[in-house]
Amino acid sequence: MSIISKDIQKAIALLTNEELVAIPTETVYGLAGNIFSEKAIKSIFETKKRPFFNPLIVHISSVDILKNIVSEVPKKAQILADKFWPGSMTLVLKKDKSIPDIITGGKDTVAVRVPNHAVTLELLSKLPFPLAAPSANPFNNISPTKPEHVERYFKNDIKMVLDGGSCKNGIESTIIGFENEEPIIYRLGALAVEDIEAVVGKVLVKNKKEENPDAPGMLAKHYSPQTFTVLTTNILDEISKHQHKKIGVLAFNTSYKNEGISTEIILSKISNLQEAASKLYDALHELDHLNLDIIIVEKLPENGLGNSINDRLKRAAFHQ
Ligand code: AMP
Ligand code: MG
């Protein structure tokens, strides 16, 4: 029987009973548990096979709850929260003492966001506790943007995926930390840098690939298909190098179907980066299940969400 259901009351009952529920957000599906239940939080790490040092994002129902989660709110953090929540922006701020260490990986900061999805906002508003919810995929696998993706990963591990349809934005939130009260982007994501800068001025981007990252989404290898994947600016050149192989192409706006490839997915025929982001992970899931020898992925334009998508593609690809 399918674990996918629209029954919010059932989700409330499971979460109240310290169990996990996969929840829809506008970025990707999250694997959610009560932040104050050690049992639920341990189960998130175990189910995902995620290392314990990787902190989790706390999801709250409205900006008013922020004061219960953090101990200080820098002026620009408040401006960003008021402007972009509910939305695809996570703020990393000094934690309130009530937030368990297991949520923050022992750090004195906590990541928090108000997701922009009606179903999950309703769920959060009916629960007496916030939800910790990392992406609902095994560690390092492709993030889920449809309930079916989560079901495929975790049908034997969790009791319920709360059905909220396909994720509108389709890539993870943009993570913003603060150093000396100034915002710094720790992870590129579904809210474009340009949109953030329009509100608070120039921000530093520290989206590096480090061995010991400030943010788990910064690990070099992440979001990966099982199939050998190459990222390129020149699809034709790459196709010619792999002529006798079963090739899948993930293209931005152009068709390569007459070039002897097995299959292709075009992210946005009208070159819309928002549309491309929303389709990205579903396309990678689909290509990864076709028994291809290689997936050739086209690099996207380097502006707005194109930078966030390219960041994910670099981590998904074998050659960087
Ligand atoms: P995921 O929900 O799987 O995309 O992963 C959660 C993200 O939140 C990771 O990329 C973490 O880096 C980030 N995060 C959570 N807490 C913190 C924190 N205290 N400092 C920096 N990043 C954090
Ligand atoms: Mg993740």
Side-chain angles (χ1 to χ4, degrees):
M1 207 182 80
S2 175
I3 59 169
I4 299 170
S5 160
K6 289 189 195 295
D7 187 348
I8 290 198
Q9 289 309 324
K10 183 176 168 190
I12 291 171
L14 286 166
L15 290 162
T16 304
N17 198 29
E18 303 185 272
E19 299 198 55
L20 304 186
V21 173
I23 57 167
T25 81
E26 83 284 20
T27 60
V28 303
Y29 272 75
L31 187 61
N34 175 355
I35 67 162
F36 299 118
S37 160
E38 195 179 322
K39 179 183 165 210
I41 302 307
K42 278 192 172 152
S43 171
I44 290 178
F45 284 98
E46 282 158 12
T47 305
K48 276 182 68 74
K49 300 195 168 49
R50 176 177 174 120
F52 276 94
F53 65 79
N54 269 6
L56 305 176
I57 296 175
V58 172
H59 291 68
I60 55 176
S61 59
S62 89
V63 66
D64 304 335
I65 315 277
L66 182 62
K67 61 181 184 310
N68 305 342
I69 309 294
V70 308
S71 60
E72 288 167 30
V73 185
K75 203 165 143 213
K76 286 186 180 175
Q78 190 66 50
I79 292 170
L80 288 166
D82 290 336
K83 172 78 186 174
F84 292 116
W85 282 351
S88 305
M89 174 191 72
T90 296
L91 296 178
V92 175
L93 299 169
K94 286 267 180 291
K95 81 177 191 78
D96 183 82
K97 57 183 182 321
S98 64
I99 304 299
D101 283 341
I102 189 173
I103 299 286
T104 66
K107 289 172 188 271
D108 65 352
T109 52
V110 60
V112 57
R113 143 174 133 87
V114 181
N116 188 15
H117 193 294
V119 171
T120 287
L121 285 173
E122 184 185 343
L123 174 69
L124 285 167
S125 70
K126 289 182 172 165
L127 288 169
F129 47 80
L131 294 173
S135 52
N137 52 305
F139 187 61
N140 282 353
N141 283 49
I142 306 165
S143 295
T145 54
K146 291 183 171 177
E148 293 77 17
H149 298 157
V150 185
E151 183 169 58
R152 193 152 62 203
Y153 283 139
F154 293 133
K155 60 177 173 301
N156 298 322
D157 306 301
I158 63 173
K159 292 192 180 137
M160 179 176 180
V161 181
L162 181 58
D163 187 357
S166 294
C167 302
K168 193 163 66 25
N169 291 355
I171 60 172
E172 293 81 356
S173 60
T174 302
I175 299 182
I176 305 179
F178 289 81
E179 294 176 19
N180 302 318
E181 306 252 313
E182 285 302 311
I184 298 191
I185 294 180
Y186 288 158
R187 177 176 77 182
L188 295 174
L191 181 63
V193 176
E194 290 86 337
D195 294 342
I196 295 161
E197 290 186 332
V199 176
V200 289
K202 194 85 192 136
V203 291
L204 201 65
V205 178
K206 271 199 193 172
N207 188 60
K208 294 206 198 86
K209 290 174 236 148
E210 291 162 359
E211 277 309 305
N212 190 7
D214 282 330
M218 293 161 76
L219 287 165
K221 198 83 183 129
H222 210 92
Y223 316 108
S224 301
Q226 306 297 315
T227 313
F228 182 78
T229 300
V230 174
L231 178 63
T232 180
T233 48
N234 191 333
I235 293 262
L236 290 176
D237 194 39
E238 206 58 49
I239 291 173
S240 71
K241 286 189 212 159
H242 298 278
Q243 276 186 355
H244 302 291
K245 294 187 185 155
K246 250 181 105 179
I247 300 174
V249 167
L250 182 58
F252 178 37
N253 53 14
T254 313
S255 176
Y256 296 90
K257 70 173 189 296
N258 297 328
E259 306 296 334
I261 61 171
S262 298
T263 187
E264 73 173 358
I265 297 178
I266 299 171
L267 287 175
S268 176
K269 286 186 179 144
I270 56 164
S271 307
N272 180 310
L273 290 167
Q274 169 77 49
E275 183 186 14
S278 73
K279 288 191 182 164
L280 177 71
Y281 289 142
D282 188 44
L284 286 173
H285 277 280
E286 198 177 320
L287 292 170
D288 203 23
H289 285 89
L290 294 176
N291 290 317
L292 299 164
D293 296 319
I294 180 169
I295 302 172
I296 300 176
V297 182
E298 185 166 34
K299 207 170 167 193
L300 269 64
E302 290 175 313
N303 60 281
L305 291 179
N307 287 322
S308 306
I309 298 169
N310 285 336
D311 171 73
R312 301 302 189 271
L313 291 174
K314 278 181 207 156
R315 294 166 205 274
F318 192 78
H319 296 298
Q320 311 224 355

